[in-house]
Amino acid sequence: MVALAQTQPSADRLRAIDAFLAEAWEDQLRHDDRLRGLAVEVRFDRGVAHLSGEVAEPAELRLVRDVVGRLAGVYGVWCRVRVGGREPVVVDLGCGPTKQWPGNLGLDIFPAPGVDAVADLSGSLPLADNSVDVLFAVHILEHLIDFLPLVDECHRVLRPGGVLHVMSPWWGHVNAVADPTHVRLMDVQTFKGICQLRPPGTPRWFPLHAGCDGASIFADLTPLPPSADPAPPTHLARFFD
């Protein structure tokens, strides 16, 4: 079970957490034969693991992200990794002038230097079915009165095995209410509801990771096909009450 911090770690503590995580990952690499030979670089920034590089098969990427996500102190696992020589299609939703990575496709309701296509995120996304490998929704969902249509659209456009990365202000931090354009309060448990409590027939998600640093919440979700088994209770217990 992840213990939710009540106050955001200081900058010094976050740097120390990143140093600890880097050491822990190096130790993992030395002792886990499954990871040897995989050309994936893992960098930690404020408790978020950033994965880059290349793997031969999707299962290898899933292994790396699962192992990284089990390190104590990791809040999220963000990926831009080539699979079988193919560059991933990565989309930043509501990116404004700044993308998570420069090569991402940026969508926003307002034109800006980093925006590649203008789109109203409360409606349908101008993206084809099963066309995207990674979606970033960083500080977006809290601006939408009803964000479930956008979440459903993310499910539609993601390829099997694709990942939706979410970051939003935690409801218990002042940042959640300081911005008057925020219309929704968010918690890690919100993603339990998205993955477990929606009506039959709605898009289903598997939570790869979820966490909170005392100021922001993080969730990495992958779409489930209708016939797939839900996440087992032992997996959900890592993140949700």
Side-chain angles (χ1 to χ4, degrees):
M1 178 71 68
V2 174
L4 300 185
Q6 297 303 306
T7 57
Q8 184 180 24
S10 66
D12 287 342
R13 182 157 184 247
L14 285 169
R15 282 192 290 270
I17 289 173
D18 289 341
F20 161 78
L21 289 171
E23 292 177 3
W25 179 243
E26 288 299 318
D27 187 61
Q28 186 75 38
L29 289 175
R30 285 192 295 269
H31 293 89
D32 194 332
D33 292 339
R34 300 172 301 171
L35 302 172
R36 292 201 179 109
L38 297 183
V40 177
E41 178 184 350
V42 181
R43 177 179 62 87
F44 298 96
D45 182 12
R46 300 173 67 86
V48 176
H50 295 261
L51 277 55
S52 59
E54 183 170 356
V55 295
E57 300 176 356
E60 294 176 336
L61 176 56
R62 182 67 175 263
L63 169 66
V64 175
R65 67 158 301 121
D66 284 352
V67 175
V68 171
R70 291 178 182 176
L71 297 178
V74 169
Y75 300 126
V77 184
W78 292 4
C79 298
R80 188 186 177 99
V81 176
R82 294 183 300 276
V83 178
R86 184 178 65 82
E87 287 286 344
V89 176
V90 185
V91 177
D92 258 311
L93 300 175
C95 63
T98 305
K99 301 176 185 177
Q100 300 306 313
W101 282 295
N104 294 356
L105 173 68
L107 301 183
D108 205 307
I109 194 170
F110 298 114
V115 176
D116 299 294
V118 175
D120 181 357
L121 300 183
S122 64
S124 60
L125 296 176
L127 301 166
D129 295 359
N130 304 318
S131 63
V132 178
D133 297 288
V134 178
L135 285 166
F136 281 99
V138 176
H139 292 298
I140 295 301
L141 299 189
E142 66 273 14
H143 293 275
L144 301 175
I145 293 175
D146 183 4
F147 58 74
L148 289 176
L150 175 59
V151 172
D152 291 347
E153 276 289 280
C154 291
H155 193 287
R156 177 183 66 81
V157 305
L158 280 172
R159 292 189 173 111
V163 180
L164 168 63
H165 298 303
V166 178
M167 178 181 177
S168 287
W170 179 50
W171 70 270
H173 193 273
V174 66
N175 287 348
V177 294
D179 186 338
T181 67
H182 291 174
V183 295
R184 293 296 300 266
L185 296 177
M186 307 282 290
D187 187 77
V188 171
Q189 303 304 314
T190 304
F191 298 100
K192 178 181 180 181
I194 290 173
C195 295
Q196 298 288 308
L197 302 179
R198 298 197 62 198
T202 52
R204 301 168 63 231
W205 295 89
F206 185 99
L208 296 169
H209 199 81
C212 177
D213 68 0
S216 300
I217 57 169
F218 303 84
D220 302 328
L221 309 178
T222 191
L224 278 176
S227 60
D229 294 331
T234 50
H235 178 78
L236 297 175
R238 295 173 55 201
F239 315 124
F240 306 130
D241 292 338

